[in-house]
Amino acid sequence: MSDALDATPYDALLLLSFGGPEGPDDVVPFLENVTRGRGIPKERLKEVGQHYFLFGGVSPINDQNRALLDALRKDFAEHGLDLPVYWGNRNWAPYLTDTLREMVADGRRRVLVLATSAYASYSGCRQYRENLADSLAELAAEGLQLPKIDKLRHYFNHPGFLDPMIDGVLACLADLPEDVRAGAHLAFTTHSIPTASADTSGPVETHGEGGAYVEEHLDVAELIADAVRERTGVDHPWRLVYQSRSGAPQIPWLEPDICDHLEALHGAGVPAVVMAPIGFVSDHMEVRYDLDTEATAKAAELGLPVRRSATVGDDPRFTAAIRELVLERAAVESGREVAPCALGALGASHNLCPVGCCPARAPRPAAAGADSPYA
């Protein structure tokens, strides 16, 4: 079709991410940005920053976002999609407000946002929408013309996100010693969040035990486990587990933790484990430290063979999926019929976050949703 790669009405794509320090001197200021308003002493932030100092004070997320940015631009150009791609962060340069200001100066009036979080949750969706609203409020105070902003739907069950993870698990299984391979357990990991946040994640109708956050991860884990069984003929036992808890000990968070899970599996006689970080788009600090460093050390202490599968990163199938999602949303906004691409039991996610979706801890304006003050 002649309009197959027409992104109208959009004139730009914004890659929106978390951000991270680029050197040792950035670590504490970055953590101050992340924890602003919580009253955490600087000395405590220095303790928390030790994870970053182990890696020279540099978060891998920035280079990974640069690689994804380059891959998206290359994919769009190769397929004739004329859509500029920008990058802005929540907590470090390039800051979101600065990027939006640049986009306005470039004449961008209808912006589509890709968040580096595939699932529904407050921190993975609503908080980014709040950041967008805060930035738009700053631009409005400066007297700038505000662009209309929409956000791509959650892409956790798009085949372009799933297929690279399936291949990663298969590669890890093949890398295990043959005598433990068939009995290997699959530990699908994601970021732990407070149970109260999980229970209210997603639209109101999904609220309940674990909410959409847990439901979506379980759907992805089952899809990957089923694909592994179909390709290998082996039905590997699996479980969804959690990592990277950072909250006060008295507040309930999703469990079990990956290290506790490894201990339990070892105690049950499981011969090997593949850790599959399905909750993460790239190998950023939570993957490099919490899995590659901490969990891998725990496995070595137990004498338990363990492998960690790859995240999707800038895999060409993922960048192609983003292109497809852009064109899908453009078709919807232009009034054209489109069949959303999604696997599993849950189907395609909503395009517009409804009222009550992943509610804030305290009421704050959020852009790119049904309750947006910037329609």
Side-chain angles (χ1 to χ4, degrees), residues 8-346:
T8 304
Y10 299 107
D11 55 17
L13 177 68
L14 169 62
L15 175 65
L16 177 56
S17 194
F18 192 80
E22 302 266 26
D25 292 341
D26 296 342
V27 172
V28 171
F30 162 73
L31 292 173
E32 287 175 332
N33 287 342
V34 174
T35 61
R36 181 168 286 117
R38 301 184 202 173
I40 299 177
K42 183 170 288 189
E43 290 307 311
R44 173 58 182 153
L45 295 179
K46 289 179 181 178
E47 293 176 19
V48 174
Q50 290 306 311
H51 295 181
Y52 291 97
F53 293 128
L54 288 173
F55 294 85
V58 178
S59 170
I61 195 172
N62 299 308
D63 281 343
Q64 289 159 10
N65 279 328
R66 292 184 184 101
L68 179 57
L69 197 68
D70 289 345
L72 286 168
R73 288 169 175 163
K74 179 181 177 182
D75 178 275
F76 287 6
E78 288 178 347
H79 291 86
L81 178 58
D82 184 16
L83 190 71
V85 187
Y86 295 75
W87 171 32
N89 289 325
R90 173 188 294 169
N91 298 302
W92 202 249
Y95 288 104
L96 172 59
T97 302
D98 295 335
T99 300
L100 284 176
R101 190 180 292 112
E102 176 189 358
M103 297 175 81
V104 169
D106 289 347
R108 311 305 175 193
R109 296 293 176 258
R110 192 76 188 270
V111 176
L112 194 52
V113 173
L114 162 64
T116 54
S117 175
Y119 302 85
S121 71
Y122 172 76
S123 58
C125 184
R126 173 84 192 193
Q127 192 171 10
Y128 282 118
R129 293 177 49 225
E130 291 176 353
N131 299 147
L132 286 164
D134 291 343
S135 293
L136 290 172
E138 286 193 46
L139 299 189
E142 296 170 13
L144 298 178
Q145 182 177 350
L146 301 185
K148 185 179 186 323
I149 293 181
D150 292 321
K151 180 178 174 292
L152 284 176
R153 66 176 173 88
H154 302 302
Y155 46 86
F156 63 92
N157 56 4
H158 193 288
F161 185 67
L162 288 163
D163 288 344
M165 294 193 292
I166 292 168
D167 286 349
V169 172
L170 290 168
C172 285
L173 288 169
D175 190 53
L176 284 169
E178 189 173 356
D179 61 333
V180 300
R181 188 178 304 149
H185 173 95
L186 308 181
F188 295 105
T189 78
T190 190
H191 207 300
S192 183
I193 61 175
T195 57
S197 293
D199 293 347
T200 56
S201 58
V204 172
E205 60 268 23
T206 68
H207 292 182
E209 189 173 355
Y213 186 74
V214 171
E215 182 181 43
E216 290 169 1
H217 281 87
L218 287 173
D219 198 41
V220 167
E222 187 168 9
L223 283 164
I224 296 174
D226 287 349
V228 169
R229 183 182 64 251
E230 290 170 5
R231 297 197 200 179
T232 65
V234 179
D235 191 7
H236 291 273
W238 62 269
R239 184 168 182 179
L240 177 63
V241 299
Y242 303 93
Q243 59 174 93
S244 312
R245 174 183 173 139
S246 59
Q250 70 271 18
I251 298 175
W253 283 53
L254 293 173
E255 296 178 335
D257 175 77
I258 177 61
C259 290
D260 294 338
H261 187 54
L262 292 175
E263 287 189 343
L265 292 175
H266 176 67
V270 170
V273 178
V274 171
M275 300 183 295
I278 62 172
F280 307 94
V281 170
S282 64
D283 289 3
H284 50 59
M285 189 58 71
E286 283 84 353
V287 175
R288 295 274 181 89
Y289 180 80
D290 296 331
L291 294 183
D292 293 351
T293 304
E294 192 172 47
T296 299
K298 171 58 70 175
E301 173 191 318
L302 297 169
L304 179 65
V306 67
R307 300 291 186 273
R308 195 271 290 175
S309 65
T311 52
V312 298
D314 60 347
D315 187 288
R317 291 167 291 184
F318 181 50
T319 54
I322 299 307
R323 169 170 36 86
E324 292 171 11
L325 288 166
V326 167
L327 295 173
E328 173 195 302
R329 184 60 182 272
V332 170
E333 294 299 312
S334 298
R336 290 174 279 148
E337 289 190 13
V338 61
C341 187
L343 302 177
L346 300 181

